[in-house]
Amino acid sequence: GSADPRRLAVTPTGSELLVADPTSASLHVVDLATFAGTTVGLASYLPDLNGQVRAIAVHPAGVYAYLAIGDDDPAAILVLDVTARTLTGSALLPAGTPSEVPIALSFAPDGAACYVLTSQETGAPSRTVITLNATAPASPTVAAATALATTGLPMDEVWLVSPAGGQLLLNARDDGFLLVDLATMAIMPQSTVVPAGAPLDFGFSPD
């Protein structure tokens, strides 16, 4: 088991659970039919990386998962081969100003792109959307980095691409849910929905 599970993701078939464990710089892959687990060490893959897995997203095909990791520059996306239980690649993220760390990521429905949200750790609020080309999901590359105009949103944001594509839904906690237009990488006017309380997470139904 994990001593301090922080981030969870389930493969599209529902057969495997991915659990990040920051206390041991590792990721656990659990077979949900047998509950047998495999631990994948992360610390030695990119020795310059510090910190923990801040977000996990599984590619729609279910073969690869992307792990957003890093406490400071450099930060990176690590690629996990879910079937082989091994790390197979990485994409270093461009440095932000001030320094930003990845806090959320989500794939387009067709798997051709993965959208990474980065956030500043200190200083004035700063957010960037980094678009990864994932047409070859084992070897993602940075395609674009676009500043996202936001207010002082909390660090623990979550976002997901709509199953229909074209838009991202951003859970900004106390500031509500915001729609982001993927064509312009801008928050859409009049898109804010503020639910009661401060929800920590959310999900879409398949349709």
Side-chain angles (χ1 to χ4, degrees), residues 54-81:
R54 294 181 176 271
I56 306 171
V58 182
H59 186 273
V63 177
Y64 297 101
Y66 288 8
L67 318 175
I69 188 169
D71 266 344
D72 208 332
D73 297 331
I77 302 300
L78 301 185
V79 181
L80 173 77
D81 184 322

Side-chain angles (χ1 to χ4, degrees), residues 147-197:
L148 182 67
T150 63
T151 57
L153 301 180
M155 279 283 292
D156 290 329
E157 295 149 7
V158 176
W159 72 359
L160 292 173
V161 178
S162 163
Q167 297 175 344
L168 269 162
L169 188 62
L170 168 62
N171 176 13
R173 305 281 292 280
D174 290 331
D175 289 337
F177 290 95
L178 308 175
L179 275 175
V180 178
D181 186 330
L182 290 177
T184 62
M185 291 302 176
I187 294 174
M188 300 173 67
Q190 308 301 318
S191 68
T192 305
V193 177
V194 182

Side-chain angles (χ1 to χ4, degrees), residues 24-138:
S24 61
S26 62
L27 183 86
H28 306 289
V29 184
V30 181
D31 185 323
L32 292 177
T34 64
F35 291 101
T38 302
T39 299
V40 180
L42 306 176
S44 63
Y45 191 79
L46 288 177
D48 290 337
L49 285 178
N50 297 310
Q52 58 184 274
V53 176
R54 294 181 176 271
I56 306 171
V58 182
H59 186 273
V63 177
Y64 297 101
Y66 288 8
L67 318 175
I69 188 169
D71 266 344
D72 208 332
D73 297 331
I77 302 300
L78 301 185
V79 181
L80 173 77
D81 184 322
V82 178
T83 303
R85 310 287 204 267
T86 58
L87 295 172
T88 61
S90 64
L92 286 176
L93 300 180
T97 305
S99 177
E100 297 179 6
V101 297
I103 59 173
L105 70 165
S106 182
F107 281 98
D110 63 1
C114 183
Y115 301 97
V116 183
L117 178 65
T118 66
S119 174
Q120 93 295 347
E121 290 187 289
T122 59
S126 175
R127 302 289 189 277
T128 302
V129 181
I130 298 173
T131 303
L132 298 179
N133 181 338
T135 52

